[in-house]
Amino acid sequence: MSQKVNENEERYAQSILKPPPPPIQPYICSILNDFHEERDFLANHIFPQLNELCNSRGTYFKAVDLRWPDVSTLKSFPSSLLKQHSCLQSQHLIKLCLDYVKSCLPFFICMLGQTYGDFLPDASPFLCSKVTDFSRLSKVEQNLYVAARNGYPWVLENPSCSLTEFEIIQAAFLNEPDLQYFYFRSGMTLLKTLKEEKEEVLSSSSLNNNDEKAIIGKLKAKIIQKGLPIRFYSSLSESGELVFKDWSMVIEKLYPSTNVTEDIDYKHLFECFYHEKFMEESKKMFVISKESNRIFEVLERFALQDVEFEPNSAVSGSSPDSGWRINPLTTCKSILLLSGERGCRKTTLIANWVNYFKKKHPHILMIPHFVGSTCESSDIMPVIHYFITELQYRNYGTQLRTDDVNDDPNILVFSLLVEVFIASINSKPCILVLDGIEELIGIYGISGQKAKDFSWLPKSFPPHCKFIMSIVSSSMSYKSLCAHPDVKTVELISIAEEEAKLSIFNQHLCIPSHDPFLQGQGLREKANLNPLKLTILATEFKECKIFRSEFPCMKEYLEVVFIQDLWELILKHWIEDYSWTFKKKTLISGEGLDGWVTDALCLLNILHCGLAEDEILQLLDMLGYRNHYVTLVHWTAFLNATKEWIHEKPNGLLCFRHQSLRNAVEHKLLGVITPVRESSPYAFWNPANHKKHFHQVLVRFFQQQTAFWVCQELPWHLKMSGSWESCSFLSSPNITDFVSKIRIPSFWTKLHLLHYWDVLAGAGYDPIESYLLSVAKIKANQCHKARKKSVLSVLECRILEVTTTDKCRSIFFIASLFKQMGHTGEAEALWLNVEDMLVQSLSLTAMLCMVQNTLGELYLEIGMIQKGFQYFQKTWSNLMCISPSDLKTDKNLVKQQGCAEKAKLDLY
């Protein structure tokens, strides 16, 4: 048994240590004015199937398909829209497309037919340095010039190529081709054999003229000769089948189905992956300095104090921590608080140190957590639960039933959750890392103030547990923690070395800048340039030149002293450069900072979890930007310019990367003082506060979406818009039907469901009465099941055939919720009701065993030992009547068998 546990521990550790593969986001490459039917067919029929397959493996599929709108077809449009569209198409097109090809690598889908696209015939290479009058260049030359100055100088060596060929060169010829597929469209007649097709392509490539068919033939020949994967198709359905087959194999290769096993909690595993991904991205921006080396040494000495490794005591086959010896006579402190001003790169340093320490000391258990990296990572209770789950996995292996922990109603009481946390850190040596603690919030069971003052921390930690936290030195949490008797403080001083500053600036540029203004009078003479400000300046220097002269712009930025003021100036430029509005729209900010960019930033700011880009475009439509005014290309152009600050999480949802930008949007655009997540629903009574408007828009939007958003976003916006009564939809039969289908609801989902009912109870709504009414409807065959089509809302349901199993599952879920609310009597009555329904249906299933086992556990918990024993006997007897083959294949039955066995042993 111990060998099996050790194998599971090792397997789990390997799954955590292995960097997660990226989400599958192929770039769609084809001639701009061709392949509209193929693109539409794939987008509407094939890509949704691939995304569904990815979702089952814990990732997502999103094709990046940049289609340029035809502005000339619009009857009326703002002058700012025409200006932006003209600027993007005449100067920014090649750069934007190559940027996205690069960001999507190694994934690439290319479709080629008989057309080649726009190109410069007889063009000769030219140098950027010899261009004196940019306005006299043609549109294609301007595009080449901008691309060459922004990281793609090789385009000037091949100025006669079309955009499509540039994309292919970037994806397949300048990078190692790996997961890239090419689809050649043949005529709609009978397909030639592959050999005949290749011969025709290769023969056409020998022509040395500007004939379009000959040029596209040469391009196809180069692709064939390189040995890249090529498919030929003659119909839409055939192209769809080929794409689905190829990319299903890609998904299987990166996210194999064999990895999806019963004994690993994948909800927790994906959360770990998100933190690993966050660290990987942070590592890219790290610059070594004297100060970083000093902090690395301080952190390592602290982590290793009081713990010594004895290699001789670590026998073969023992657990990784068996060779560690604890010094029992320690006088050292167990909590290290790394502080510094906002923007001094604490997170980047912590992420790199964690990576360094794990490689140097692989046998030490280290658990990092980055506040804000996922939608759950800012709430104090899910943060503590994350550490508990990770510690239990590492200490006891994957045989631990985490749903046992999650089903315990005590785990939802903050004080008891802290007790479990303290017990977990007492088990074995460990190092916990919690970055960005000033951004922690409290949702259920604890106020935001208590979450941040850390009064819940024990007075002392066990000597073998080290807790490293990072914090902004001006925050209230810093003052509270400094008074803790077990805390040691270390300050991270902002980088003062000039070379380090220039390295930070240049690492964000495609081509390092040697301009004397930036190297001399600009950057070197400014003493107030911390790493965050340098990063902001570098990203703006790289992007602002598209719409404005970069040096006057940078001079204006350098004159700004405070980060908040700098962000407000940049927001103004973003809105001027990328946004537009209509006469009928009212100003949001009151300062002329209006338009779709303002609206998009405000929406991202008040969201609970985040939004995908297609959802943002739908919301912009709802806000009045219809008739294709704001297209995917306009959005991607803005997102490409702001990609350092608007971050796409591993689940495909967008959010702000840095708290300083969130603060600027809250203050400048939303008109709020208290952070959105900590503010009261009544704050919108302030006339300068625009939150209520956006919360109401999001309520309307999420009411039309699929059931995923039922517990994730909708209740939050109902609460924050003051629509308390609408939250009662959570008890409706169709919503209950959906939520009950989630086999193991996450801790975060349960926490928020109980929180919203707690809020409703305070407003006079009785959750018990509401759910009992739903139970009556379910029994009376008035249960509504959500339609399966994703285009339909979970609130728009039709009566379908509802089986006894459906009814029992929903009522069982309601009973479980009652127990977690502390209403044991009501829970018992419903579970007995479910048992009776299942017995009368004469179907011996895992659900009946589960209900009887649950009743046994309930009676045992409330002191009715004899009755509990009777129900465990029932469970065991029913399991004995099930065939061994069913027991082997039905994982739920195996699980119930284990529970019944354990309960019998406990009773004896």
Side-chain angles (χ1 to χ4, degrees):
M1 178 65 182
S2 60
Q3 183 180 359
K4 177 68 174 175
V5 170
N6 285 336
E7 288 175 1
N8 285 329
E9 286 179 349
E10 183 179 353
R11 181 181 175 189
Y12 175 77
Q14 289 175 351
S15 67
I16 291 295
L17 294 174
K18 183 181 178 181
I24 299 173
Q25 302 185 72
Y27 183 86
I28 307 300
C29 168
S30 70
I31 307 304
L32 285 177
N33 297 322
D34 202 352
F35 293 91
H36 291 299
E37 289 186 358
E38 283 92 335
R39 287 177 184 245
D40 289 340
F41 182 79
L42 293 175
N44 295 330
H45 301 283
I46 304 304
F47 295 156
Q49 295 181 55
L50 292 171
N51 186 47
E52 187 175 343
L53 179 59
C54 281
N55 290 341
S56 69
R57 311 289 175 88
T59 185
Y60 67 94
F61 182 98
K62 184 184 76 174
V64 177
D65 187 358
L66 301 183
R67 304 198 205 185
W68 289 86
D70 185 3
V71 178
S72 62
T73 62
L74 302 178
K75 295 181 180 179
S76 63
F77 45 84
S79 58
S80 53
L81 166 57
L82 181 61
K83 170 195 167 186
Q84 194 223 42
H85 186 82
S86 175
C87 187
L88 287 176
Q89 202 162 33
S90 64
Q91 302 175 18
H92 199 37
L93 176 59
I94 294 178
K95 175 192 176 296
L96 180 65
C97 292
L98 294 182
D99 281 348
Y100 271 91
V101 171
K102 187 176 180 181
S103 67
C104 290
L105 288 175
F107 310 114
F108 188 73
I109 291 175
C110 179
M111 294 178 287
L112 293 176
Q114 302 303 314
T115 55
Y116 181 70
D118 294 337
F119 66 101
L120 283 177
D122 303 320
S124 58
F126 64 93
L127 299 174
C128 289
S129 58
K130 293 185 178 180
V131 176
T132 56
D133 188 354
F134 181 76
S135 61
R136 299 188 66 178
L137 297 176
S138 68
K139 286 186 177 182
V140 176
E141 288 173 334
Q142 287 181 1
N143 262 287
L144 292 170
Y145 178 80
V146 170
R149 289 191 62 200
N150 288 274
Y152 308 101
W154 54 268
V155 300
L156 298 181
E157 300 170 8
N158 308 280
S160 60
C161 291
S162 68
L163 172 62
T164 302
E165 184 160 2
F166 280 137
E167 292 171 339
I168 294 170
I169 291 172
Q170 173 69 25
F173 291 90
L174 295 180
N175 291 279
E176 189 65 31
D178 185 12
L179 302 173
Q180 302 166 9
Y181 291 87
F182 293 80
Y183 302 89
F184 291 175
R185 180 174 62 194
S186 300
M188 294 306 172
T189 57
L190 186 64
L191 268 178
K192 302 180 179 69
T193 65
L194 177 61
K195 183 178 180 181
E196 291 172 337
E197 188 77 33
K198 286 184 177 181
E199 288 175 354
E200 181 176 318
V201 167
L202 292 171
S203 64
S204 65
S205 68
S206 62
L207 299 174
N208 187 20
N209 54 52
N210 290 327
D211 178 72
E212 188 171 29
K213 186 175 181 181
I215 296 174
I216 191 66
K218 290 180 68 175
L219 176 59
K220 289 179 178 179
K222 283 195 283 186
I223 294 169
I224 292 172
Q225 288 169 349
K226 191 170 176 62
L228 298 170
I230 299 168
R231 312 286 185 259
F232 293 89
Y233 71 93
S234 62
S235 66
L236 288 177
S237 59
E238 189 174 9
S239 68
E241 290 172 2
L242 291 169
V243 170
F244 183 81
K245 180 181 178 182
D246 289 336
W247 290 90
S248 295
M249 293 175 63
V250 170
I251 295 168
E252 181 63 28
K253 177 180 178 181
L254 296 179
Y255 296 89
S257 57
T258 53
N259 283 355
V260 182
T261 58
E262 181 72 11
D263 61 348
I264 290 180
D265 180 359
Y266 273 86
K267 290 183 178 67
H268 177 74
L269 187 59
F270 295 146
E271 184 82 1
C272 295
F273 280 172
Y274 293 168
H275 289 291
E276 290 293 328
K277 180 69 174 176
F278 187 84
M279 283 198 299
E280 286 294 319
E281 293 177 352
S282 298
K283 281 160 48 182
K284 298 173 185 176
M285 298 294 105
F286 182 63
V287 172
I288 298 175
S289 65
K290 292 179 182 178
E291 179 66 3
S292 68
N293 290 335
R294 180 183 76 88
I295 297 297
F296 268 43
E297 292 176 6
V298 170
L299 293 174
E300 186 170 15
R301 283 201 306 270
F302 174 81
L304 295 177
Q305 68 185 8
D306 306 321
V307 182
E308 298 176 6
F309 185 65
E310 298 179 341
N312 294 333
S313 65
V315 297
S316 176
S318 61
S319 61
D321 57 353
S322 59
W324 291 97
R325 181 171 61 85
I326 309 302
N327 180 6
L329 302 176
T330 179
T331 58
C332 298
K333 298 184 177 182
S334 297
I335 303 174
L336 185 142
L337 192 61
L338 177 64
S339 65
E341 64 175 356
R342 190 178 295 281
C344 67
R345 287 204 161 186
K346 297 181 294 297
T347 297
T348 304
L349 185 143
I350 286 286
N352 279 270
W353 177 76
V354 167
N355 183 64
Y356 154 82
F357 190 89
K358 281 185 172 182
K359 288 181 178 178
K360 187 174 180 180
H361 305 283
H363 294 291
I364 297 182
L365 172 57
M366 174 177 281
I367 305 173
H369 188 286
F370 296 86
V371 176
S373 61
T374 71
C375 60
E376 303 179 24
S377 63
S378 296
D379 297 352
I380 183 62
M381 290 185 70
V383 169
I384 296 175
H385 185 266
Y386 175 88
F387 281 130
I388 292 170
T389 307
E390 187 70 357
L391 285 164
Q392 290 179 335
Y393 267 135
R394 298 300 186 92
N395 290 336
Y396 305 111
T398 55
Q399 292 296 312
L400 174 74
R401 283 185 58 214
T402 54
D403 47 324
D404 278 345
V405 177
N406 292 339
D407 286 342
D408 184 353
N410 293 334
I411 207 76
L412 297 169
V413 179
F414 181 72
S415 58
L416 298 177
L417 182 69
V418 172
E419 289 184 13
V420 177
F421 170 70
I422 294 170
S424 299
I425 62 177
N426 272 285
S427 300
K428 294 180 182 179
C430 62
I431 301 170
L432 309 181
V433 179
L434 184 58
D435 172 69
I437 60 175
E438 73 281 351
E439 296 179 28
L440 286 171
I441 59 175
I443 292 291
Y444 179 76
I446 179 175
S447 66
Q449 181 180 353
K450 186 175 181 182
K452 291 184 176 183
D453 67 17
F454 285 87
S455 58
W456 49 271
L457 275 180
K459 294 299 181 183
S460 63
F461 273 59
H464 59 264
C465 174
K466 304 300 177 188
F467 204 166
I468 298 173
M469 308 181 193
S470 73
I471 190 172
V472 172
S473 51
S474 59
S475 66
M476 293 299 295
S477 299
Y478 176 73
K479 296 176 182 178
S480 300
L481 281 167
C482 284
H484 193 284
D486 204 18
V487 169
K488 173 183 178 181
T489 61
V490 176
E491 183 181 5
L492 173 61
I493 302 171
S494 189
I495 294 174
E497 304 148 63
E498 290 184 354
E499 292 305 318
K501 287 184 177 181
L502 291 174
S503 296
I504 291 173
F505 186 86
N506 280 324
Q507 73 176 347
H508 290 278
L509 305 180
C510 301
I511 301 175
S513 174
H514 301 289
D515 186 86
F517 172 75
L518 294 174
Q519 298 286 355
Q521 299 175 359
L523 295 181
R524 291 182 186 274
E525 294 184 0
K526 295 293 179 181
N528 63 339
L529 295 179
N530 65 14
L532 173 60
K533 195 168 184 180
L534 286 165
T535 302
I536 296 172
L537 291 172
T539 53
E540 282 301 295
F541 177 73
K542 182 173 63 174
E543 298 296 338
C544 71
K545 64 183 71 173
I546 301 298
F547 293 99
R548 58 186 71 233
S549 178
E550 62 263 38
F551 295 113
C553 183
M554 292 301 295
K555 187 175 181 181
E556 184 182 15
Y557 289 157
L558 285 167
E559 294 301 319
V560 178
V561 177
F562 300 107
I563 292 290
Q564 190 77 5
D565 295 334
L566 177 59
W567 271 126
E568 292 184 4
L569 182 58
I570 289 171
L571 287 173
K572 180 174 177 289
H573 286 172
W574 284 355
I575 293 165
E576 290 173 353
D577 293 343
Y578 291 94
S579 192
W580 59 82
T581 187
F582 305 96
K583 293 180 181 179
K584 293 183 180 180
K585 282 187 63 65
T586 57
L587 296 180
I588 292 297
S589 67
E591 301 180 22
L593 299 181
D594 203 3
W596 70 264
V597 169
T598 299
D599 291 341
L601 291 171
C602 289
L603 288 167
L604 284 172
N605 189 279
I606 69 170
L607 281 159
H608 205 32
C609 300
L611 276 177
E613 63 180 23
D614 61 321
E615 293 164 341
I616 290 179
L617 292 173
Q618 292 175 47
L619 278 160
L620 290 174
D621 275 352
M622 290 177 62
L623 287 169
Y625 302 95
R626 298 186 184 278
N627 301 321
H628 304 289
Y629 280 111
V630 181
T631 66
L632 179 60
V633 170
H634 298 122
W635 168 253
T636 51
F638 171 69
L639 195 61
N640 189 55
T642 59
K643 60 180 175 288
E644 295 291 339
W645 308 110
I646 300 178
H647 167 62
E648 186 174 73
K649 299 177 184 178
N651 59 4
L653 301 182
L654 297 166
C655 64
F656 294 131
R657 184 186 291 272
H658 203 275
Q659 185 66 23
S660 61
L661 175 57
R662 177 181 291 277
N663 294 343
V665 172
E666 288 174 348
H667 177 261
K668 189 71 172 177
L669 304 183
L670 278 171
V672 301
I673 299 174
T674 305
V676 168
R677 289 193 172 190
E678 300 176 30
S679 61
S680 163
Y682 302 106
F684 57 71
W685 287 349
N686 180 349
N689 189 316
H690 305 287
K691 286 197 309 171
K692 183 177 182 181
H693 165 68
F694 289 105
H695 281 301
Q696 289 172 337
V697 170
L698 287 164
V699 165
R700 295 198 305 272
F701 174 74
F702 287 123
Q703 283 177 335
Q704 300 169 13
Q705 303 308 303
T706 53
F708 169 77
W709 295 110
V710 170
C711 295
Q712 302 288 347
E713 285 281 0
L714 184 53
W716 162 258
H717 297 291
L718 287 168
K719 169 189 170 183
M720 297 308 293
S721 62
S723 304
W724 307 98
E725 67 283 353
S726 299
C727 278
S728 59
F729 82 93
L730 289 168
S731 64
S732 63
N734 56 304
I735 298 302
T736 303
D737 174 70
F738 164 73
V739 179
S740 67
K741 290 177 181 175
I742 304 175
R743 191 175 66 83
I744 307 177
S746 71
F747 174 80
W748 192 75
T749 299
K750 288 183 179 181
L751 195 66
H752 280 70
L753 191 59
L754 293 177
H755 165 64
Y756 293 126
W757 273 116
D758 189 49
V759 170
L760 283 169
Y765 292 88
D766 185 354
I768 303 300
E769 182 181 337
S770 299
Y771 274 114
L772 288 177
L773 180 61
S774 290
V775 169
K777 291 181 179 179
I778 292 169
K779 290 181 178 178
N781 288 324
Q782 295 177 18
C783 179
H784 292 61
K785 294 176 68 177
R787 299 180 185 182
K788 294 183 178 180
K789 294 183 179 179
S790 59
V791 296
L792 299 174
S793 162
V794 293
L795 304 183
E796 299 171 343
C797 302
R798 58 190 174 93
I799 298 178
L800 298 175
E801 181 182 352
V802 181
T803 65
T804 300
T805 302
D806 292 327
K807 294 179 181 180
C808 291
R809 185 187 61 248
S810 295
I811 298 173
F812 182 89
F813 168 77
I814 293 173
S816 302
L817 198 58
F818 282 179
K819 184 173 183 293
Q820 289 172 338
M821 291 178 177
H823 297 274
T824 306
E826 290 85 349
E828 177 195 5
L830 288 182
W831 277 326
L832 288 170
N833 207 300
V834 171
E835 181 195 22
D836 186 54
M837 292 169 65
L838 289 169
V839 170
Q840 290 182 19
S841 69
L842 301 178
S843 67
L844 190 60
T845 63
M847 182 175 288
L848 178 59
C849 298
M850 179 175 67
V851 172
Q852 292 172 337
N853 194 72
T854 301
L855 282 165
E857 291 175 346
L858 174 67
Y859 290 130
L860 198 64
E861 184 180 322
I862 62 179
M864 301 176 68
I865 307 297
Q866 189 60 36
K867 201 165 186 178
F869 178 75
Q870 291 173 1
Y871 266 92
F872 288 134
Q873 288 281 48
K874 280 186 182 182
T875 306
W876 187 254
S877 299
N878 286 331
L879 285 168
M880 292 298 98
C881 296
I882 297 174
S883 67
S885 60
D886 288 340
L887 272 175
K888 186 176 181 180
T889 56
D890 192 320
K891 295 177 181 178
N892 285 328
L893 287 173
V894 174
K895 185 176 177 181
Q896 295 308 319
Q897 184 182 32
C899 293
E901 270 190 87
K902 179 179 180 299
K904 284 179 66 178
L905 290 173
D906 290 343
L907 284 170
Y908 286 119

